Amino acid sequence: MENIIISNVPSYAHSSVRSSLACAHCRSRHVRCDARTPCSRCQAKGENCVYQKSRRGGRRIRKPTQSEIDHPSSTPSKFLPADFSSSSPIQDSYRTSNPIDSSPNPNSLAPVTLDRIASSGNSSSITTDQNVRVVVEASTFQDDTEDLLDSYYTQFHPAHPCALPRLFFKQRLETDSLSLKPVLIVMKYIGSLYMSSATSASLEALVLETLAEGRVATNLSTGYHVQSLILYSIAVYWCSETHRGLSLLNEAISNAIDLGMNLQGFAVEHGHGDPVLEESWRRTWWLIHVTDAHFAGSTHTYPMKTTEVFMDVDLPCEEESYVSGNIPQTRTLFEYDMREFAEDDGNEFSSFAQLIGLTRSLNTVFSCGLQSDPVFASTLAANFDASIMGWSSLLLQSKRRLLRFDGTLDELLFRANMLVNTYIVGIHRPLSNLAYCSVESVSRCAPPPPMRTISDDVAVSEFHTSKILQGIEALNGLLILSTSLKAHTPFVICMIANATIAYLSACSHVLRDQALKLAREKIRLHMAVIKALGECWPLAREIYRQVGVVAREILGLVDTVLPVRDLSHNAPYCDSPMIFNLDSSFDQNNFEELESMSLYGGTF
């Protein structure tokens, strides 16, 4: 049986069957354990692996496999870290403001583990260690390929559609499997995260090996390598390795700029005359740009990393055209930016293009970063409202419906709606009556608390409070429309968490009687969605617990004799990815109005 030797990655072994036995560390963290002695996770982290004594007579010690006997651990490492040197002026400028540290690690003699990569904040800093090696049987990853790809294309691809459509990916895989190797392995790894029967650790070991190969051999740094980096960065971040996820994003941006993927000509030059592949390259750059915005929102860091990067890539087509391979004439950024002056059909842009347009508008609003100046808060809110009203007013009627004719949800428009409504909540809250509570800092998704009083004008604070409640109602409508919660981008987790925390403040300070009871029901919906996403994404489980702590503290304030703070004393601030308010006239008994509520209705 053919064996693949993987160096510098933790020795996670593949198993097609979930073990019912877990060591003390894995059991306490509620993660899968391979039941080895020591288990792969404890070995990777250098922890003492202990099993609680079984009441059924203990456990047998596993014998080493023939592969492990045949391949001793003294073989030198094959893969070394890349230094990401660049000759591109644009890339040099990017790296000046977003450096990727490639200096030697003082702990380079220690075993290389996922945790070490994460703690270094640099996914490229994989050091050499002759004593760390994993033996993976190639055949064990082939039997479940179809199931893993099905899982990827069903659950993850709709919200992150840059890889080739399933049919075209399969066709190209038959003729160019080497080039597609990094994307295939990342797709299988992500697909495994949605499958309770799959073991993702061994697949991630292959991901690390393949990315290391691409860093060493510069000729392997292709568009497919960039695709694997941006997709993997999202998965890594939401698997609770946030620093490594951000580092992978930096690497994806850096490599994409080096290759020229931010330029219009790249798609045609590297598309081999295949319109579908050309479309995939365009989508790859735009997914990087949109993901950059999501990371900026989730970490409260503005401006975005790609803010100053020149880009003139043509816009993506509709999803149906991409899947079918019938790629129409591309639309340009110039056409989109001039759409308000075009003829009646001039603003017929795809859902992906509308998400890109919204992202660029938000980037413009936050281009000056975040400030604690009270005047800045009001200016930010005014600029945001104007930008979003302009964007939403130019949407055609077809883009105001999130449900397709076949009953499926347009994940890209859903994402845009979620962004707008979440930002409505975050931007207007410092100017509202929804008081902040110190316990909110427990949540990693929560924005920094306001620092000073902004206004004592009751009418102004009431206005902003009303806008927040409208945004939250629109968010509720979006969540009810969902046909598959797990198919949403994981970035909605922080969006929902931020809206929930603001809603909790409304429960404590604004809402009473029947309105309070209904709000509590909707908060249960929010928590249920976060919990459901936690089945796939470990970071969601952490955020679920954090929001629970905040909720118990804030809701406890309702029964105590505390003065209701006038939220006119909240400071400016813009934060995490947020959601999109489209219609304030929400009738819960009318499904069509429920759907339209997910689109901005011009209540500014």
Side-chain angles (χ1 to χ4, degrees), residues 7-21:
S7 304
N8 291 331
V9 291
S11 55
Y12 294 137
H14 177 82
S15 172
S16 60
V17 180
R18 296 183 67 179
S19 172
S20 60
L21 184 65

Side-chain angles (χ1 to χ4, degrees), residues 21 34 122 187 200 220 266 282 351 441 489 494 593:
L21 184 65
D34 59 14
N122 182 1
M187 290 164 67
S200 58
L220 295 181
F266 178 89
R282 290 190 287 268
S351 298
S441 62
T489 177
C494 259
E593 290 187 22

Side-chain angles (χ1 to χ4, degrees), residues 68-202:
E68 292 168 324
I69 295 174
D70 293 340
H71 298 280
S73 60
S74 59
T75 303
S77 170
K78 291 166 56 181
F79 305 114
L80 300 174
D83 61 3
F84 298 107
S85 60
S86 169
S87 59
S88 164
I90 297 178
Q91 185 61 27
D92 290 340
S93 175
Y94 169 75
R95 286 176 180 151
T96 300
S97 57
N98 300 279
I100 299 179
D101 182 16
S102 58
S103 58
N105 190 322
N107 300 320
S108 60
L109 297 180
V112 178
T113 67
L114 289 175
D115 284 347
R116 281 192 55 206
I117 297 172
S119 62
S120 71
N122 182 1
S123 63
S124 67
S125 314
I126 303 181
T127 56
T128 304
D129 179 9
Q130 297 180 355
N131 296 321
V132 179
R133 129 193 218 99
V134 175
V135 180
V136 181
E137 295 182 354
S139 62
T140 62
F141 295 103
Q142 296 174 358
D143 294 341
D144 56 0
T145 294
E146 288 301 315
D147 289 341
L148 292 170
L149 289 181
D150 281 342
S151 176
Y152 173 86
Y153 276 102
T154 301
Q155 305 290 0
F156 192 81
H157 180 78
H160 317 87
C162 73
L164 287 166
R166 179 69 184 274
L167 175 62
F168 296 94
F169 183 83
K170 184 176 180 179
Q171 292 174 347
R172 187 162 289 275
L173 192 62
E174 294 174 352
T175 59
D176 194 10
S177 59
L178 181 61
S179 297
L180 269 66
K181 177 184 175 183
V183 185
L184 173 63
I185 294 175
V186 168
M187 290 164 67
K188 290 173 64 175
Y189 166 66
I190 294 175
S192 72
L193 298 175
Y194 294 91
M195 300 172 61
S196 60
S197 61
T199 301
S200 58
S202 49

Side-chain angles (χ1 to χ4, degrees), residues 90 260-267 285 310-313:
I90 297 178
M261 298 186 77
N262 55 310
L263 303 178
Q264 186 180 47
F266 178 89
W285 172 257
F310 174 80
M311 59 190 83
D312 63 353
V313 182

Side-chain angles (χ1 to χ4, degrees), residues 11 72 89 125 131 138-139 227 270 300 330 342 361-362 371 437 444 543 598:
S11 55
S125 314
N131 296 321
S139 62
Q227 280 185 350
H270 297 81
H300 321 307
T330 58
S361 294
L362 292 174
Q371 304 175 25
C437 180
R444 70 183 304 130
I543 292 170
S598 62

Side-chain angles (χ1 to χ4, degrees), residues 158 318 349-355 358 391 395-404 409-420 478 580 582 598-599:
E318 293 288 4
F349 293 90
S350 69
S351 298
F352 201 162
Q354 294 295 353
L355 175 60
L358 172 64
W391 175 81
L395 290 173
L396 292 183
Q397 191 62 36
S398 61
K399 295 304 174 186
R400 295 178 179 275
R401 292 186 58 86
L402 303 190
L403 290 178
R404 301 187 181 95
L409 184 67
D410 187 325
E411 285 292 337
L412 298 173
L413 284 180
F414 173 87
R415 194 168 175 177
N417 280 259
M418 290 290 287
L419 276 169
V420 174
L478 287 166
F580 170 61
L582 297 164
S598 62
L599 300 174

